[in-house]
Amino acid sequence: MEACDGGGMEFQQENDAAAAAAPNFEHANPISQEASTVAMNSMVMMPKPPNTHRDPFFSPNWDSFSSMTQSYQTFVSHQDFENFSFPPVPLWENQGMAPNMAQYLPTRSGFVETVPRAPCFMNRSLPDCLPQGPNHIPPGPNYASNVEGGGGASEGTQNKEGEAMSSPSSEMRRKRTPESSSTYDRIKSNEGMLKRDASGDNSNVQKDHYEKKQRTEQPEGTNSRGKQTKDDSNSGQPAKENYIHMRARRGQATNSHSLAERVRREKISERMRMLQELVPGCNKITGKAVMLDEIINYVQSLQQQVEFLSMKLSTLLPDMSFDLEQILSKEILQALNREPMVGGLGPMTGLTALPSTSQYASLPQAPLDNELQTLFQMGFDSTSAMDILKHSRRLKPEQ
Amino acid sequence: MKTPSNSIKRRFALKFLRTLVRIRKSTHQPSPSQSSTWEIRRRAQRIKLAAYSSMARTVGSKRAWSRALTMKLRAAMGNRPWSMIKQESKKMTRRKLIAKRKRHMEKDLNSGVQELRRLVPGGQWMDPLSLMQETAHFLRCLETQVRVMRSIVAEGEGFPC
């Protein structure tokens, strides 16, 4: 019937889209794994560029960069700029994979945070770019402590480096603040976005939170370690005042506003995780936007399935015998308990013969399987065999 | 709390079947042998509404989306022209309600939750947090609904004329 076919065709397109979307995730993963290995190799050099004490880690490009950052007034020739633009390039290309990398590198989360800083070298003109060097590192320990708290070893090392470097650079940091605030915010927003993808938060809220944190940091900041201990002592009191007990983690701002925001964000991410379990095939997706899109697609596909099935039912309704309504309901419930929830291709198998989709359980066979199961369970009895034969005769009308 | 159990499945199945019987009885007289596409479409629409209404009745008034769905279905069936605003106005004043919705619309420009609000019944008036919760429950109920319908269709296809 053309009505059914119309609905069927739409549904097939939707299913094709869904089926096409599923392999995309499969393809993305090996690419991102490659990218993560590449990024890992290049990232080892990344976090320490302005630190002159760690020469062995540098490539010659980073050596030149570190010497440049020492003296802010030196004007670097264009050639040097091109020299050290090479290492950020592969990272720049991998920028799209950053969320996946964050997922694959849970213990190295501190290093992952440093990745988005690379593009600033590409985007800004040179004199603006150079003074950013020491400014990058102080957020390092704070962000490393932001991330989930696991991977303690990496966090510890990151903190130590950050503290060692921040004490000489704290005055520089304060000097740099008014000039570089725009780029700093941009970096923060990048890192905020990365953290959002890692923890499923909203980037704008994250940016606000980080900006607040920046403002609270810089007036205080002599030694980051001292500030963090201050935070720890401060965090005790607001946590007791809020009736939802929330402990501020190391290096995070302790306004009641930001605490409440953080509680709210964690709740939202927890709900997102719950939804992730409900939607089939969404275990590998990180990121709130992608997850939301998946949920929306799933709900839409379910609603389309309802419409399609109601159309089918309306064609079948005149022919169905509803005298045995109770038997029907019992059989239906049995079929329900045995049949798993098929992704999207279930209804299609009834309408058109799809031999290729053998991975999904095809519908017309399911009741037959149930009959066979009941047969085996009950034992092969002559009377029950007659019942089974009657049932099978109904299911296979052509014979 | 968020997961509907087997009882919902059973209750929904029974209710839905009873409504199906009723629909069948009401449409059985005119032309038993052949039915036009228009009739089929109209019947499909009724069946769809019956599915959603039986689902909403099974869930009851415990969930915000079921309440909203009930209101919407009553409006669609034309029993009484109740709107969502009237239903929600029992809790808040109308002005506060519209302001709440506007707040949600403004806040949601970035996060893309607006699409979800359109899909989940009653989503416009919920804050994002409870929206997620309602979506989870709604999703589970939708899944059971689809499963029941599918097994009914499977049974129906096993009974040839």
Side-chain angles (χ1 to χ4, degrees), chain A residues 204 278 298 305 317 320 394, chain B residues 24 110 140 143 150 158:
Chain A
N204 287 337
L278 279 181
Y298 189 55
Q305 282 186 34
L317 204 57
M320 271 207 279
R394 280 197 299 215
Chain B
R24 182 167 181 268
N110 309 315
R140 287 255 179 164
E143 277 178 11
R150 216 182 264 167

Side-chain angles (χ1 to χ4, degrees), chain A residues 82 84-95 118 122:
Chain A
E82 283 182 346
F84 81 80
S85 69
F86 280 124
V89 165
L91 287 172
W92 177 250
E93 287 170 354
N94 291 338
Q95 191 58 25
M122 310 287 290

Side-chain angles (χ1 to χ4, degrees), chain A residues 269-278, chain B residues 2 133 136:
Chain A
S269 57
E270 179 196 326
R271 302 269 159 86
M272 292 287 301
R273 257 178 273 137
M274 222 173 45
L275 283 171
Q276 204 169 7
E277 293 166 24
L278 279 181
Chain B
K2 289 150 193 140
Q133 215 168 335

Side-chain angles (χ1 to χ4, degrees), chain B residues 88-102:
Chain B
E88 290 287 329
S89 68
K90 286 172 192 167
K91 300 180 206 164
M92 300 172 127
T93 60
R94 186 189 175 103
R95 206 183 307 157
K96 267 195 229 168
L97 203 61
I98 295 180
K100 190 177 177 193
R101 176 171 73 168
K102 207 172 103 171

Side-chain angles (χ1 to χ4, degrees), chain A residues 42-250:
Chain A
S42 45
M43 261 190 328
V44 174
M45 301 185 279
M46 265 300 286
K48 308 174 179 63
N51 195 347
T52 52
H53 302 298
R54 307 192 183 232
D55 286 334
F57 291 98
F58 286 158
S59 66
N61 301 329
W62 289 117
D63 272 335
S64 62
F65 175 69
S66 65
S67 61
M68 285 185 291
T69 56
Q70 286 278 307
S71 57
Y72 294 110
Q73 285 82 22
T74 56
F75 179 72
V76 181
S77 68
H78 199 61
Q79 311 241 321
D80 287 344
F81 180 63
E82 283 182 346
N83 276 346
F84 81 80
S85 69
F86 280 124
V89 165
L91 287 172
W92 177 250
E93 287 170 354
N94 291 338
Q95 191 58 25
M97 294 297 171
N100 289 339
M101 288 194 314
Q103 167 199 355
Y104 287 124
L105 308 164
T107 57
R108 295 220 172 229
S109 44
F111 292 123
V112 172
E113 306 299 328
T114 65
V115 169
R117 293 176 199 156
C120 101
F121 303 143
M122 310 287 290
N123 289 339
R124 302 290 162 178
S125 66
L126 195 54
D128 286 345
C129 201
L130 293 178
Q132 291 310 310
N135 285 342
H136 287 271
I137 303 304
N142 300 331
Y143 290 141
S145 56
N146 267 358
V147 183
E148 277 96 1
S154 67
E155 274 186 22
T157 55
Q158 190 80 345
N159 285 340
K160 271 190 218 149
E161 293 152 12
E163 283 149 18
M165 282 184 289
S166 64
S167 34
S169 64
S170 55
E171 311 93 355
M172 292 191 273
R173 190 181 3 147
R174 259 186 265 153
K175 250 193 273 174
R176 284 297 131 206
T177 313
E179 304 170 18
S180 61
S181 55
S182 61
T183 58
Y184 198 58
D185 292 350
R186 191 175 175 283
I187 295 158
K188 296 269 201 183
S189 71
N190 283 342
E191 293 173 311
M193 261 177 16
L194 184 61
K195 179 155 190 307
R196 172 198 76 166
D197 292 333
S199 66
D201 293 334
N202 196 351
S203 68
N204 287 337
V205 180
Q206 199 75 2
K207 188 159 85 155
D208 291 343
H209 168 63
Y210 284 148
E211 282 177 9
K212 257 188 266 180
K213 187 157 74 85
Q214 167 193 356
R215 272 181 242 124
T216 56
E217 276 176 20
Q218 264 121 11
E220 300 180 38
T222 51
N223 197 359
S224 61
R225 171 175 284 169
K227 170 190 162 330
Q228 280 157 7
T229 53
K230 243 195 279 183
D231 270 346
D232 284 339
S233 62
N234 283 340
S235 70
Q237 293 142 14
K240 288 169 197 161
E241 288 166 5
N242 293 341
Y243 74 102
I244 295 175
H245 286 276
M246 181 70 201
R247 175 136 271 202
R249 282 192 226 125
R250 235 183 126 189

